[in-house]
């Protein structure tokens, strides 16, 4: 099983809403990642979790709050987002610690629209 | 400053011919390179990778070539198929750092 799953596939939310994005992998990977991708741009790294601990936060605003409940799950809690936060949010996982030369496997993404 | 560059935003190739996608990098510390393929509204799919100690890696129709002295790598797809039409991202990584993605090249394979 080389699959990373993400739910929901699409999400529309208002600026005052609170919502969560979910990511799951059952490959036994120890590193999980959140990326944000705007149209016609490469993915931009937001957070890295290594062994369920946050190891990298790429200066992401606090309205994005990641959570790693266990080694298979990664959440991204959203609150008070802005319309410019509308993007495709990608989750990825990799076998290593998140700081090595290991291949990342991506989920299908959640298309987020903030009204 | 872009550490990973893909200077061709788009490329069109006839079905059955070779597609060559290019990638240049500036950071000599990169020691592992990957190619991802991405369809609209989907996550990137890993295609092929190459370690800096090699100059070629082949997997079916996909071959990646690495020229370390030129800091250049390329992805060859032979023969190209319409289903290969997608955006291709080159990514590079060095130990202790995270992925750096190039801006992507949109490949269109024409029937």
């Amino acid at each position: 099983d080389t699959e990373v799953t993400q739910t929901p596939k699409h999400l529309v939310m208002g600026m005052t809403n609170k919502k969560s994005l979910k990511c799951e992998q059952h490959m036994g990977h120890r590193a999980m990642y959140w990326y944000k991708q705007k149209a016609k741009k490469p993915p931009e790294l937001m957070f890295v979790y290594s062994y369920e601990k946050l190891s990298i936060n790429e200066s992401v605003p606090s309205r994005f709050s990641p959570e790693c409940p266990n080694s298979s799950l990664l959440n991204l809690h959203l609150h008070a987002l802005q319309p410019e936060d509308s993007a495709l949010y990608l989750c990825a996982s990799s076998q290593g610690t998140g700081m090595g030369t290991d291949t990342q496997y991506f989920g299908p993404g959640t298309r987020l629209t903030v009204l | 400053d872009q550490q990973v560059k893909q200077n061709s935003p788009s490329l069109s190739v006839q079905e059955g011919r070779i597609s060559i996608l290019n990638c240049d990098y500036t950071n000599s510390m990169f020691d592992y390179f990957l190619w991802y393929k991405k369809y609209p509204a989907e996550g990137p799919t890993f295609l092929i990778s190459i370690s800096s100690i090699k100059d070629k890696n082949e997997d079916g129709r996909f071959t990646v070539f690495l020229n370390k002295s030129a800091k250049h790598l390329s992805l060859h797809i032979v023969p190209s198929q319409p289903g290969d039409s997608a955006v291709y991202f080159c990514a590079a990584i060095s130990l202790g750092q995270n992925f750096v993605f190039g801006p992507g090249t949109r490949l269109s394979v024409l029937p």
Side-chain angles (χ1 to χ4, degrees):
Chain A
D1 182 9
T2 57
E3 192 179 16
V4 176
T5 59
Q6 289 186 245
T7 55
K9 195 171 175 65
H10 301 277
L11 178 63
V12 179
M13 60 186 290
M15 289 191 284
T16 58
N17 292 157
K18 283 186 182 181
K19 297 285 184 183
S20 297
L21 310 184
K22 296 185 186 303
C23 174
E24 193 165 359
Q25 57 88 14
H26 294 288
M27 296 178 276
H29 288 175
R30 309 309 300 188
M32 295 185 76
Y33 312 75
W34 279 115
Y35 286 85
K36 172 182 176 179
Q37 186 180 22
K38 302 282 269 186
K40 299 184 180 179
K41 297 285 187 184
E44 296 175 10
L45 183 65
M46 299 174 73
F47 302 104
V48 180
Y49 271 82
S50 177
Y51 290 90
E52 301 164 46
K53 291 192 186 328
L54 183 65
S55 61
I56 292 179
N57 176 342
E58 291 285 349
S59 302
V60 179
S62 60
R63 57 186 185 268
F64 295 92
S65 174
E67 179 200 16
C68 190
N70 60 56
S71 59
S72 301
L73 292 173
L74 185 66
N75 297 323
L76 186 63
H77 302 298
L78 314 172
H79 175 52
L81 294 194
Q82 305 295 312
E84 59 264 29
D85 296 322
S86 299
L88 182 68
Y89 287 83
L90 294 161
C91 174
S93 70
S94 67
Q95 194 167 21
T97 61
M99 296 297 277
T101 55
D102 46 330
T103 301
Q104 294 181 24
Y105 294 90
F106 285 83
T110 293
R111 171 69 59 190
L112 174 68
T113 303
V114 182
L115 300 176
Chain B
D1 179 35
Q2 263 189 336
Q3 295 187 68
V4 177
K5 302 175 187 180
Q6 293 176 256
N7 292 323
S8 298
S10 63
L11 174 69
S12 292
V13 170
Q14 210 66 35
E15 181 179 3
R17 307 294 284 268
I18 184 171
S19 295
I20 300 176
L21 297 111
N22 293 305
C23 178
D24 296 287
Y25 61 96
T26 58
N27 187 345
S28 58
M29 299 301 290
F30 288 141
D31 51 13
Y32 196 66
F33 304 88
L34 308 93
W35 283 95
Y36 284 85
K37 168 182 174 180
K38 188 178 184 301
Y39 294 116
E42 292 185 13
T45 302
F46 169 68
L47 274 178
I48 193 167
S49 62
I50 188 166
S51 163
S52 60
I53 61 173
K54 295 189 174 183
D55 54 20
K56 178 182 174 181
N57 188 24
E58 192 171 352
D59 183 2
R61 295 186 298 116
F62 303 94
T63 303
V64 57
F65 295 92
L66 175 63
N67 182 334
K68 277 194 72 176
S69 60
K71 295 193 178 69
H72 175 84
L73 65 155
S74 60
L75 174 68
H76 292 212
I77 307 173
V78 183
S80 301
Q81 300 172 353
D84 296 329
S85 297
V87 177
Y88 288 78
F89 289 102
C90 170
I93 191 168
S94 58
L95 192 63
Q97 301 297 322
N98 268 290
F99 273 29
V100 179
F101 281 93
T105 296
R106 180 174 301 279
L107 173 66
S108 299
V109 179
L110 309 171

